[in-house]
Structure formats: structure tokens, C-alpha cells
Amino acid sequence: MTLSKALRPYLALLSLLYCCFVTLVGFPALVLWRSGEMSSPAGIAEEMQEKGGIWDPVIMMGNAEEHAFKEGVLKSRDPRILLVGSSRVLGFRQEHFSQSMANLGRGMDYGFPNDEFRRLLDIAQPDVLIFAPDARHYINAEYEQRLKFQQEWKGIGLGNAGSDLSVIPRQIYQVWMHVLRGEVDFPALLDIVLYGRSLSGNRYGIRGMTSNRGGYAEDGSYLYLKEYLQAEETYRKLLVDMESQSSPISVTPQTILSPQLLEDLDKAAKLLVSRNIHGVFML
């Protein structure tokens, strides 16, 4: 009896520590699992082909996850039309075309014809490929930098896409930081734990489930594109700034078109012709 009384303070402390652990670590881990943040992006893309929905994770969103999702879209749709490039193409959706399409915007690197581009044509045999990177990727210095980046990050990209879906302290920390910054309400996270994706229909990811910001659709396009690109106010300010600059753009070796890019585009065009694919290059 005396021993039991002596242990009570320690048991109380252990209980308190356990509750703290469950709250600080177990709860955000459940949020990540129940929201679909920990699910395979490619698996989500495949599931969305039947159910539709929006995928917009807030923690598990990086180049690897984005590429994996786009590869899942590609393999699940057997598209006749492919869109490849930067965020410029994200607004193109299935409703804009009479044949099946897949939007791979932001889903692969832009160097042509690199290994990733060839893998793309091995995975799919479209009738039309539309390519539209950002204009800045055409200039010499930027294009050379992208080629260097591709050499350094060969393992990331179409055909090699994958992601680390294990819960680590950084991800736990990020859940709480989003709460503290007011980006996600704690009651919303509690609803995710209690009800899972049944809470918001076919929405995947914390941000997709708790906001109307938008997200990737089953065809790979991005819904609510204006919000994704920082809204109309930014565009209006940018236009005003551009109109106020009357001086012409200076032409330097850093701003001219990359000769290597033009050579690569020519190779890509010949490769598309050899596979009987119509190429559309939006420059």
C-alpha cells in the first residue's frame, strides 16, 4: 500500500507525458493518415479516375509527390492529348477537348529531348503533345541552369517518381506550424481525424479538405488557377509595372534564346514525327 502511494506521483507524471505524446505526436500523425497526405500520389490519381475529386496536400507536396501524381494520371487515362510544361498549361481541362487528355503541367522537367521525355513517350502514345514551359526557360543562362539541375536530380521525374511516405518529426512539426500560423483551424483537423475523407467528399490532402483553394483534378489540371497563381491583384500590379517601364529590354548573352534549347526542340520535333505524334510548341 505504501509502495502504491509512493508510485502515484510517478504514474501521474507518466500519464501526463503519455497524454502530451498522444496530443503532440499521435494527433498530427492521425491527421496526415486520415487526410490522405500519407497515401501514394499515384494511387490517389488512379482512384480519382472513378470518383473525381481534388488532391491538394499541404505537408506531403514536393517535386517527387507532384511528379508521382502526374505519372498516376498519365497511366490511368490512356490520353490522346498530352499537355506538358509549367503552370502555363494547368488551366487546360478535359472539358476543353473532345478526346481524352492528361495534363502533366509541373509534372516533369522541360529539357528536350532528355531521358524523361523519352520515358513519357514510352508510357503513352498520344496523338497530340502540347508543350508550354515558362518563357524564361528559353533564355541561355536559365536553360543551361535547368540542364545542370536535371543532371543533379536524375532520380526525380517521370518514370522515377516516388515519395517518402513515412511520418517524420518534420512533418509532425509542420502540422502544428500550420495551425499556429492560422492556415488550418484545429477543429478542422479534429474533424479530419473523426470523419476522414467522408467529411468533404472526394478531397485529398489537408488543404484540399479544409479550404476552397482548389487542387489537382483527375485529369491533372489545377482548379481555381487564379488563386494558385496568386490572384488577379498580382497580375494587375505586374501589368502596371510593365507599362511604366518604357525602356526596351536589353539584349545580353544572358537574355538571348539558348542555342542548345533550339537544338533540343528540333530533336524533340523529329522524335515526335518519327512516332507519328503531332507536336504543338507554345513559345
Side-chain angles (χ1 to χ4, degrees):
M1 183 68 68
T2 304
L3 182 62
S4 178
K5 287 183 178 180
L7 289 176
R8 283 178 185 174
Y10 299 101
L11 292 175
L13 179 60
L14 286 174
S15 297
L16 179 62
L17 291 175
Y18 176 76
C19 291
C20 289
F21 175 83
V22 170
T23 302
L24 297 177
V25 178
F27 177 77
L30 277 174
V31 169
L32 292 170
W33 173 56
R34 294 282 281 169
S35 65
E37 293 264 347
M38 306 305 298
S39 300
S40 161
I44 289 176
E46 184 177 354
E47 186 176 328
M48 286 172 64
Q49 303 309 312
E50 298 180 5
K51 301 179 179 179
I54 286 176
W55 179 69
D56 192 21
V58 70
I59 307 296
M60 302 298 294
M61 172 59 94
N63 286 339
E65 288 76 24
E66 210 165 10
H67 288 197
F69 178 81
K70 292 299 177 112
E71 185 170 344
V73 170
L74 176 63
K75 291 181 176 179
S76 301
R77 293 181 67 82
D78 186 27
R80 297 296 86 216
I81 301 170
L82 274 182
L83 291 108
V84 178
S86 66
S87 56
R88 288 177 65 193
V89 302
L90 289 181
F92 289 101
R93 295 190 278 276
Q94 180 60 67
E95 62 200 63
H96 300 143
F97 301 93
S98 59
Q99 298 184 49
S100 62
M101 58 80 75
N103 191 321
L104 302 187
R106 289 179 52 86
M108 60 180 289
D109 289 320
Y110 311 137
F112 282 101
N114 59 8
D115 292 338
E116 190 176 19
F117 182 61
R118 293 189 180 91
R119 283 196 298 269
L120 167 65
L121 299 182
D122 289 337
I123 294 173
Q125 285 294 322
D127 297 322
V128 178
L129 185 144
I130 301 173
F131 169 59
D134 289 329
R136 63 186 175 85
H137 294 150
Y138 300 136
I139 64 175
N140 195 35
E142 172 77 16
Y143 193 69
E144 290 178 356
Q145 185 63 30
R146 290 202 65 80
L147 291 177
K148 180 181 178 183
F149 173 83
Q150 289 169 15
Q151 289 300 316
E152 294 174 352
W153 293 89
K154 267 184 167 179
I156 301 295
L158 203 67
N160 287 324
S163 58
D164 181 8
L165 299 178
S166 59
V167 178
I168 60 177
R170 178 177 58 84
Q171 295 158 1
I172 298 293
Y173 169 78
Q174 285 180 338
V175 172
W176 287 120
M177 287 306 298
H178 282 288
V179 173
L180 293 175
R181 288 196 294 259
E183 297 171 2
V184 181
D185 294 330
F186 182 79
L189 297 183
L190 185 59
D191 286 340
I192 289 176
V193 171
L194 294 176
Y195 304 108
R197 288 201 298 274
S198 62
L199 172 70
S200 57
N202 296 321
R203 296 191 183 191
Y204 302 82
I206 294 173
R207 189 161 46 204
M209 295 177 67
T210 60
S211 75
N212 290 319
R213 176 184 182 270
Y216 281 117
E218 67 271 13
D219 57 12
S221 64
Y222 198 97
L223 302 178
Y224 310 125
L225 188 61
K226 288 181 181 178
E227 274 190 66
Y228 179 71
L229 297 176
Q230 303 301 317
E232 294 178 345
E233 298 171 17
T234 304
Y235 288 125
R236 284 197 293 269
K237 183 178 183 302
L238 179 62
L239 290 174
V240 170
D241 291 344
M242 290 176 65
E243 290 173 358
S244 66
Q245 296 174 359
S246 57
S247 58
I249 299 175
S250 59
V251 178
T252 69
Q254 285 73 39
T255 59
I256 61 174
L257 285 175
S258 166
Q260 182 65 49
L261 167 70
L262 298 177
E263 182 180 334
D264 287 348
L265 285 176
D266 181 62
K267 291 179 181 177
K270 291 177 180 177
L271 181 58
L272 292 177
V273 170
S274 70
R275 302 204 180 194
N276 199 29
I277 299 172
H278 299 283
V280 178
F281 296 89
M282 298 171 60
L283 303 179

